[in-house]
Amino acid sequence: MTNVTGKSQATDVSGLVDRIVRPLTHVFNPLISRVAGGWWFPMFSLLHHRGHKSGRIYKTPVTGFPRGGFFWLGLAFGENSGWARNVLAAGDADLRYRGTDYHLVEATVVPIADVKSELPPAVRIGSAVMGMHKVLRMRIGVKK
């Protein structure tokens, strides 16, 4: 959740992410984007989504893992981060994971506590370390 200044509130993201990781994204995202979605770095996927106001197509490196017909995307910056708002508004997005492109639909924010047994181990561990309490679940769909 964001306050009037546009900053995340403490309930949305952990202090570690807000104080240390967020300021470094402008440095690391361009570097991560070069390897995201490739075979050798399965932790990083490349999400293609449309801006909910501008209509512009964006590419954002995210952490996402497939399991049970869904992709589970980490919300390290909260559900009010730009890419999450865009995906939730559109309801769908395209994701490159390990060299394969997927069309994802039915974007839903779910509390980790409610779906812990369905999550891949990497997401369960990563969410605990990063202080995340929610994930974005998207069903693997058929490209239009």
Side-chain angles (χ1 to χ4, degrees):
M1 188 166 218
T2 57
N3 61 23
V4 255
T5 62
K7 301 274 184 180
S8 291
Q9 295 177 357
T11 58
D12 195 27
V13 276
S14 72
L16 168 75
V17 170
D18 217 26
R19 287 190 304 269
I20 298 170
V21 179
R22 188 184 305 269
L24 296 174
T25 57
H26 73 281
V27 173
F28 288 117
N29 273 4
L31 300 172
I32 293 170
S33 291
R34 291 181 178 191
V35 297
W39 182 256
W40 300 106
F41 295 95
M43 180 179 169
F44 300 116
S45 300
L46 195 58
L47 184 72
H48 299 259
H49 54 95
R50 184 174 300 279
H52 68 282
K53 290 182 182 177
S54 68
R56 179 179 165 204
I57 300 294
Y58 293 94
K59 295 183 217 173
T60 304
V62 297
T63 300
F65 294 96
R67 181 139 187 204
F70 295 96
F71 264 91
W72 302 86
L73 307 176
L75 291 171
F77 298 106
E79 63 188 283
N80 288 312
S81 63
W83 72 265
R85 284 193 324 260
N86 289 341
V87 170
L88 288 166
D92 70 340
D94 294 316
L95 183 82
R96 178 168 273 264
Y97 173 76
R98 298 195 86 172
T100 302
D101 293 321
Y102 296 89
H103 183 66
L104 306 178
V105 296
E106 299 172 11
T108 308
V109 175
V110 292
I112 289 174
D114 294 352
V115 293
K116 202 168 204 166
S117 64
E118 298 177 53
L119 296 175
V123 176
R124 286 195 307 264
I125 294 165
S127 64
V129 169
M130 296 297 283
M132 290 187 300
H133 303 288
K134 297 177 182 177
V135 292
L136 186 66
R137 179 183 68 195
M138 297 188 75
R139 186 173 58 78
I140 299 171
V142 177
K143 190 98 171 164
K144 296 177 193 172

